[in-house]
Amino acid sequence: MSETTEQAIHDAVNQDYKYGFVTDIDTDSIPPGLNEETIRTISGKKNEPEFLLEWRLKAYRHWLKMKEPTWPHVKYNPVNFQEIVYFSAPKSNKDGPKSLDEVDPKLLETYEKLGIPLHERARLAGVAVDAVFDSVSVGTTFKDQLAEQGILFCSFSEAVREHPELIRKYLGTVVPYTDNFYAALNSAVFSDGSFCFIPKGVRCPMDLSTYFRINAANTGQFERTLIVAEEGSSVSYLEGCTAPMRDENQLHAAVVELVALDRAEIKYSTVQNWYPGDEEGKGGIYNFVTKRGAARGYKSKISWTQVETGSAITWKYPSVLLQGDQSVGEFYSVALTNNYQQADTGTKMIHIGKDTRSTIISKGISAGKGQNSYRGLVRFMKGAENARNYSQCDSLLLGNKCGAHTFPYIEVKNPSAKVEHEATTSKIGEDQIFYCNQRGISTQDAVNMIVNGFCKEVFKKLPMEFAVEAQALLGVSLEGSVG
Amino acid sequence: MSSETLLEINKLKAGINGQAILKGIDLTVNAGEVHAIMGPNGSGKSTLAQVLVGREEYEVSEGKVTYQGKDLLDMSVEDRAREGVFLAFQYPVEIPGVNGTYFLRAAYNEQRKYRGEEELDAVDFLALVKEKMKVLELPPTLLQRPVNEGFSGGEKKRNEIFQMAVLEPTLAILDETDSGLDIDALKTVAEGVNKLKNSRNAQIVITHYQRLLNYIVPDFVHVLYDGKLIKSGGRELALELEERGYDWVVAEASSTAALAS
Ligand SMILES: Nc1ncnc2c1ncn2[C@@H]1O[C@H](COP(=O)(O)OP(=O)(O)OP(=O)(O)O)[C@@H](O)[C@H]1O
Ligand SMILES: [Mg+2]
């Protein structure tokens, strides 16, 4: 590929990170470092009940015995866990604002700049937002309206205070603290996150969403999200994330747990746009996340849709445990890696119940020197009679210096299982760009068009407002297919 | 000169990686004219086409190309296209995932934006497409598929001419559009091309076979040999070439060259 085309493709996929600003705000932070005292401090700051502190300490003691995983197809300098600040909160928020009117205007302004207005006048129509800034939630919109239908949507800390019985019942039941290195760390030090509870038979009338923002330097973000959908209920949940541009890497190690009971449906969508680091690979977020849903009930359904464009390193496998008979698991993913970004992402579908079905559609885009790996596990347990999986993994390469890798694992312990796996790799070459140019279409538009066409199947699964954001993120213009 | 000069190529030399391919081309194309370029494999026909539309891996070492009074070689690839220069590729490229109609509308609207005209919306564009489709008897399903993806060789060629019909270029260069077409397709494509012809535009048709020139009747036929246009004539030259091959033209050219030196 010639220099100029390489450059043009580079320009087309490299747009400035728009969310790299820092909010200048006084914070209440604890000193860096991690020991049992750190955990007691965090728990104390939140006035947590004893059971939770105990749980955290057990997780911490377990974590001490664990090793960082080395199997992902990513390379990075080891994280020094003693250099990280484990708790940082905007000062004015110490006791938690009673309502959004009490939230520091600087914070409201920050979210406004990020396109997430929180105040009454300009709220996103039809979406309730929980805004998490560094370690704490700064406010949740539409809370009262949702409460009228019995829906609980609040920060994790508030849920611990107000609904400890629910937390106790569900916390760690999908992702136990012993699950993996980062899940254990998160369980020990998690600071905040979102909690949603949809009672029996209620269809949540609006999308629920959490917007995560890392602001403070040298701070790790360890949030925890728990969503419980009772029998016959349904909810669509969106998650967005950004961080300032900094030269140091920052760690984000979240845990998300979903529980769907009989005939309940949870749709979880993520547009992940953490700061990816600069063009030389300096800085950026380490995004080591454990997301798992338990489709516990009969005919329950859990669907993950993710658009991963940010982070220096992404290590993430949203999974579904298909426990209930006839339960359904879905995973739709677009992961883009550019410059020195690395992504090792995919899913796990664990078929436990009878007649369970799962679908995996993964689209990996690599540009610059980006390395993109799909890692997927489809497992059929003994009792998973007549279970089915369909997997499709497509890779798109932009240029010659990037890479795409696919690691599918299939384990079948029940002979009635049916598995279908398809994989393709295509490349945006000079010839395609030239062809578009010769028809009057600029290189930028050509790349957008091809990338957008490539991701179409996944974008279709996103809620409308998110789809628009996702497309803008990939630098693509809407492809209104005619006819 | 009776009509307006569209394209003027002057002493054009171009090559790749220091290897000369075009060794001094002179050609003038006026509005309303059809020029055929013939010549043996590897003589530089596609290279000439690619240089005119701005393929950057070919280095132009000498010469000048004026298009509608402007320096063509100075323009970006996109702008040449928006100015009405169109190449029907010898090997059209597949663009996976991009719907054919969507692609063509994007191209069409780029031209309109360039001319300061309003963009056409999906509904109006679809009407235009339907009308052009009739002319070329193109199966409508082709346009609902990704651009050229999985098209047969002949379908790809027809799709090129279909794009030409929609974009209505001022200067169209057809690089071996006839190869790969069956006899019926050849007729439809040629009829399509003829219908697009008018007194304000021009066509350069690259071909190996005089058969195409039965349908697309050229005003001039040129022989490109080893990077030079060594002979020009009327359409009867194509018939003669078909009958006698290129040797005699080459011999004639070298003896003239010898006489001249
Ligand atoms: N990208 C390239 N790299 C190296 N050599 C090239 C390249 N493009 C063209 N050439 C060489 O230049 C010469 C002319 O090629 P060109 O494709 O223009 O011929 P042509 O007249 O179109 O032939 P054909 O009738 O086979 O289509 C050939 O010797 C070819 O190998
Ligand atoms: Mg050729």
Side-chain angles (χ1 to χ4, degrees):
Chain A
M1 186 171 297
S2 76
E3 288 283 308
T4 33
T5 310
E6 188 89 15
Q7 184 62 39
I9 292 181
H10 173 267
D11 293 346
V13 293
N14 278 278
Q15 290 165 347
D16 289 340
Y17 187 71
K18 272 194 285 230
Y19 309 104
F21 63 91
V22 178
T23 308
D24 179 20
I25 194 158
D26 284 340
T27 55
D28 166 21
S29 302
I30 61 174
L34 180 57
N35 52 45
E36 292 206 0
E37 211 29 57
T38 323
I39 292 162
R40 288 179 201 282
T41 310
I42 295 171
S43 186
K45 275 182 183 294
K46 299 182 159 294
N47 294 319
E48 285 177 355
E50 192 58 27
F51 84 86
L52 196 52
L53 174 63
E54 279 313 309
W55 192 74
R56 286 177 180 273
L57 290 170
K58 271 194 274 180
Y60 175 67
R61 288 169 199 147
H62 187 81
W63 178 72
L64 287 175
K65 290 183 272 179
M66 298 177 95
K67 284 211 172 60
E68 241 181 297
T70 49
W71 48 264
H73 191 83
V74 297
K75 283 196 205 97
Y76 60 98
N77 295 327
V79 180
N80 184 342
F81 294 97
Q82 297 305 332
E83 279 177 1
I84 294 173
V85 174
Y86 287 87
F87 186 87
S88 171
K91 216 168 215 154
S92 52
N93 192 41
K94 206 168 175 183
D95 307 310
K98 298 282 166 301
S99 78
L100 280 163
D101 305 336
E102 290 176 28
V103 173
D104 188 320
K106 268 189 192 162
L107 287 174
L108 293 180
E109 204 181 297
T110 300
Y111 283 93
E112 200 132 333
K113 258 178 154 169
L114 297 170
I116 323 282
L118 297 173
H119 54 79
E120 205 79 46
R121 266 176 298 127
R123 273 178 197 176
L124 301 175
V127 187
V129 180
D130 183 25
V132 175
F133 191 85
D134 289 336
S135 305
V136 295
S137 164
V138 297
T140 310
T141 62
F142 292 109
K143 232 161 98 176
D144 302 340
Q145 287 94 316
L146 292 167
E148 281 167 23
Q149 301 199 39
I151 297 168
L152 305 176
F153 179 46
C154 60
S155 72
F156 205 91
S157 308
E158 188 180 328
V160 169
R161 280 197 309 271
E162 310 285 326
H163 313 283
E165 70 298 342
L166 287 174
I167 299 295
R168 201 169 188 158
K169 184 168 176 190
Y170 290 107
L171 178 73
T173 63
V174 186
V175 181
Y177 63 77
T178 50
D179 192 79
N180 68 70
F181 185 82
Y182 291 105
L185 178 64
N186 174 287
S187 304
V189 303
F190 75 91
S191 42
D192 214 336
S194 301
F195 173 72
C196 321
F197 178 83
I198 320 293
K200 233 178 202 174
V202 173
R203 310 197 139 263
C204 189
M206 60 177 84
D207 290 345
L208 303 184
S209 117
T210 303
Y211 195 91
F212 294 104
R213 171 77 175 167
I214 296 180
N215 187 61
N218 302 320
T219 303
Q221 193 174 50
F222 303 93
E223 85 276 357
R224 227 175 149 99
T225 300
L226 174 60
I227 301 175
V228 178
E230 283 199 328
E231 290 82 352
S233 69
S234 69
V235 62
S236 162
Y237 182 89
L238 327 172
E239 174 202 294
C241 3
T242 57
M245 297 198 252
R246 296 186 193 282
D247 285 349
E248 306 81 38
N249 295 108
Q250 278 180 283
L251 180 62
H252 172 254
V255 170
V256 176
E257 296 181 279
L258 314 181
V259 178
L261 302 182
D262 285 359
R263 296 177 198 268
E265 220 179 294
I266 302 176
K267 185 174 164 56
Y268 192 107
S269 315
T270 308
V271 172
Q272 185 266 108
N273 188 24
W274 295 116
Y275 177 54
D278 68 10
E279 284 183 33
E280 268 78 57
K282 203 169 183 196
I285 302 290
Y286 290 168
N287 189 34
F288 301 147
V289 169
T290 307
K291 290 183 166 176
R292 192 174 304 151
R296 273 191 199 153
Y298 168 71
K299 280 199 171 173
S300 56
K301 178 174 172 184
I302 288 182
S303 175
W304 298 101
T305 306
Q306 60 171 20
V307 175
E308 304 278 320
T309 61
S311 295
I313 300 175
T314 293
W315 180 97
K316 172 178 171 188
Y317 315 90
S319 308
V320 184
L321 304 171
L322 297 126
Q323 296 169 314
D325 289 349
Q326 295 187 43
S327 59
V328 175
E330 294 175 338
F331 175 73
Y332 302 100
S333 168
V334 167
L336 175 123
T337 52
N338 192 9
N339 295 323
Y340 287 86
Q341 278 179 284
Q342 308 173 64
D344 191 307
T345 181
T347 185
K348 286 190 259 182
M349 293 291 174
I350 314 295
H351 292 257
I352 301 163
K354 289 192 198 93
D355 302 308
T356 45
R357 273 184 295 127
S358 63
T359 305
I360 299 172
I361 310 277
S362 161
K363 305 274 179 177
I365 304 162
S366 319
K369 298 194 171 79
Q371 292 294 328
N372 212 322
S373 304
Y374 167 80
R375 190 182 301 277
L377 167 68
V378 180
R379 179 184 288 152
F380 298 92
M381 307 296 274
K382 253 209 172 82
E385 204 62 33
N386 290 317
R388 273 179 288 151
N389 164 266
Y390 172 75
S391 301
Q392 185 190 325
C393 305
D394 300 322
S395 306
L396 182 67
L397 303 174
L398 289 85
N400 292 326
K401 297 188 190 92
C402 47
H405 318 269
T406 310
F407 305 98
Y409 306 92
I410 298 168
E411 294 174 19
V412 182
K413 294 191 180 126
N414 184 311
S416 66
K418 285 200 188 70
V419 201
E420 251 181 280
H421 182 93
E422 286 174 27
T424 66
T425 301
S426 45
K427 192 162 166 178
I428 301 191
E430 191 166 9
D431 287 352
Q432 286 157 328
I433 300 290
F434 183 75
Y435 188 81
C436 295
N437 289 162
Q438 210 300 306
R439 298 299 186 250
I441 299 166
S442 71
T443 301
Q444 167 88 58
D445 290 346
V447 170
N448 288 350
M449 215 148 82
I450 295 167
V451 167
N452 193 24
F454 179 72
C455 301
K456 211 157 33 190
E457 270 172 283
V458 174
F459 285 164
K460 271 197 298 214
K461 299 289 172 183
L462 286 171
M464 189 54 199
E465 61 278 18
F466 245 36
V468 173
E469 188 187 335
Q471 286 180 331
L473 259 183
L474 290 179
V476 299
S477 46
L478 195 84
E479 179 177 332
S481 51
V482 186
Chain B
M1 217 172 289
S2 57
S3 57
E4 179 207 355
T5 302
L6 269 188
L7 182 76
E8 201 166 353
I9 306 176
N10 267 315
K11 302 196 177 63
L12 180 68
K13 292 188 182 177
I16 194 160
N17 303 327
Q19 175 210 340
I21 303 175
L22 302 180
K23 301 174 179 170
I25 305 271
D26 290 285
L27 180 68
T28 301
V29 177
N30 296 318
E33 291 175 354
V34 176
H35 290 245
I37 296 182
M38 302 181 78
N41 293 132
S43 56
K45 302 180 296 295
S46 292
T47 304
L48 175 62
Q50 300 275 339
V51 168
L52 290 178
V53 295
R55 185 98 197 194
E56 58 212 4
E57 65 219 54
Y58 297 100
E59 306 118 35
V60 174
S61 53
E62 250 185 84
K64 211 178 148 200
V65 180
T66 312
Y67 169 73
Q68 292 188 312
K70 294 179 193 148
D71 183 350
L72 187 71
L73 300 180
D74 213 33
M75 282 185 230
S76 71
V77 181
E78 298 95 290
D79 282 353
R80 295 180 204 204
R82 294 163 188 164
E83 289 273 358
V85 180
F86 178 94
L87 172 64
F89 285 76
Q90 182 173 5
Y91 305 107
V93 185
E94 301 193 4
I95 307 182
V98 178
N99 168 285
T101 315
Y102 179 77
F103 174 84
L104 197 48
R105 180 157 77 100
Y108 186 79
N109 278 332
E110 282 301 335
Q111 275 197 8
R112 292 182 66 109
K113 270 192 279 181
Y114 186 81
R115 294 193 297 247
E117 295 165 13
E118 212 170 299
E119 292 179 43
L120 220 58
D121 66 22
V123 177
D124 289 345
F125 184 72
L126 209 59
L128 174 79
V129 160
K130 282 209 177 114
E131 183 196 309
K132 300 289 180 183
M133 209 121 76
K134 267 187 255 158
V135 180
L136 279 148
E137 294 170 23
L138 198 74
T141 49
L142 284 189
L143 275 176
Q144 285 149 23
R145 282 165 49 183
V147 181
N148 291 325
E149 199 177 55
F151 286 22
S152 75
E155 285 171 342
K156 283 182 183 169
K157 294 298 180 70
R158 270 161 82 158
N159 191 36
E160 292 293 288
I161 301 308
F162 177 70
Q163 294 185 14
M164 174 179 161
V166 172
L167 297 173
E168 297 187 322
T170 307
L171 176 67
I173 305 164
L174 278 54
D175 192 356
E176 295 198 24
T177 299
D178 52 335
S179 54
L181 288 180
D182 63 49
I183 192 77
D184 293 333
L186 183 73
K187 271 188 211 162
T188 356
V189 161
E191 273 165 28
V193 171
N194 288 335
K195 275 187 198 140
L196 292 168
K197 194 182 147 184
N198 62 39
S199 60
R200 279 159 285 118
N201 62 22
Q203 294 159 357
I204 297 175
V205 181
I206 297 169
T207 182
H208 284 292
Y209 306 105
Q210 106 81 25
R211 192 184 62 183
L212 176 70
L213 305 178
N214 286 336
Y215 303 106
I216 302 176
V217 181
D219 301 295
F220 302 95
V221 175
H222 310 276
V223 177
L224 182 60
Y225 181 81
D226 190 23
K228 285 185 202 143
L229 293 176
I230 55 168
K231 192 174 177 70
S232 297
R235 70 161 302 215
E236 66 291 342
L237 177 57
L239 287 166
E240 205 170 349
L241 287 171
E242 179 132 292
E243 212 165 283
R244 298 174 60 192
Y246 291 107
D247 287 352
W248 64 276
V249 193
V250 176
E252 196 182 283
S254 50
S255 65
T256 337
L259 272 179
S261 61

